[in-house]
Amino acid sequence: MSQDTQFSVKQAQQIAKLQTQFNQGLDANWPTAPTLVRDDMAAVIVELGERYDHLGYKWWKKQTPDTAQANMELIDVLHFALSDVIEVLAVDGAENPVETAGLKLAEASIRAQAKDAQNAKWLLRHTALEGRPDLERPLCFGNESLTQLLSLLYQAYGSAEAVYVSYIGKNALNHVRQQRGYKEGTYIKMWQHEEDNQVMVRLLLDSDRILNSDTPLDDAVALLLDYYDTHVAK
């Protein structure tokens, strides 16, 4: 897998499309006339707090950082950040907020550099500077905060391709969990002594199947289901 730190326009549009499909599964009227009350920025703050938990922020006690889990929290932040971008575009009357959000993501990926990554506090500072008080949104993901988020992701995962695959994979893993009994309590989360999301990232990064697919979510779900049925629940 290459180390290019830049999404293709197709990849960025896939992410925006999949995020929209996921959100509309909860609220069919999202984002133009939502009926479900949601707060993406509150979710971002919580996910960043969980990242700090995994990295071990408690200087007054012994902790063991879990970098892999901390990095996965950034993928969750991307879900909510992109949702925020789409929502603001919809409120502003963009003709196609999803497509426009995909283009914004692609443009941010060009500006983003792993070496420029700072930390969650600076990320939130950018969202405050780009807030929209006129929309009662004191925090918003504008161009700078979206660029900073991608810089953090590139630092965490090493390349835009790895970020893309991890985003697709997290969505796919949610489907696998539901199909294999997550709600019923029969799903096995430890895949041969490792967290399922850690195995997921490794499996998908080792395959070019997802990167080259026009239906990446379906292909990722199929790949993970096959692994789960063959190696975990056998």
Side-chain angles (χ1 to χ4, degrees), residues 117-227:
Q118 298 183 61
N119 59 37
K121 291 176 287 188
W122 286 99
L123 174 62
L124 288 176
R125 181 176 184 273
H126 283 299
T127 67
L129 291 172
E130 296 178 311
R132 292 287 302 274
D134 57 315
L135 302 180
E136 297 186 357
R137 291 172 176 261
L139 305 177
C140 277
F141 270 88
N143 292 336
E144 292 303 318
S145 46
L146 198 57
T147 300
Q148 178 58 208
L149 174 57
L150 289 178
S151 294
L152 279 165
L153 282 160
Y154 294 167
Q155 182 186 69
Y157 285 92
S159 73
E161 289 184 347
V163 174
Y164 174 73
V165 168
S166 298
Y167 176 90
I168 300 296
K170 185 62 186 293
N171 284 334
L173 187 58
N174 288 337
H175 285 273
V176 171
R177 287 172 174 175
Q178 292 303 319
Q179 291 183 39
R180 291 300 181 266
Y182 200 66
K183 185 180 294 185
E184 295 77 16
T186 57
Y187 176 78
I188 302 169
K189 193 172 183 181
M190 298 301 292
W191 291 13
Q192 298 181 323
H193 311 295
E194 286 186 274
E195 287 272 355
D196 55 359
N197 55 25
Q198 295 180 38
V199 179
M200 172 272 292
V201 171
R202 187 171 63 252
L203 286 174
L204 298 188
L205 287 178
D206 285 344
S207 171
D208 288 334
R209 176 178 172 185
I210 308 305
L211 281 173
N212 300 324
S213 174
D214 290 327
T215 55
L217 180 60
D218 292 342
D219 287 348
V221 169
L223 191 155
L224 294 176
L225 281 174
D226 180 68
Y227 184 90

Side-chain angles (χ1 to χ4, degrees), residues 1 9 22 35 42 78-80 95 122 141 146 152 172 193 231:
M1 185 169 290
V9 172
F22 180 83
T35 57
L78 179 58
H79 283 74
F80 296 113
E95 184 175 347
W122 286 99
F141 270 88
L146 198 57
L152 279 165
H193 311 295
H231 297 89

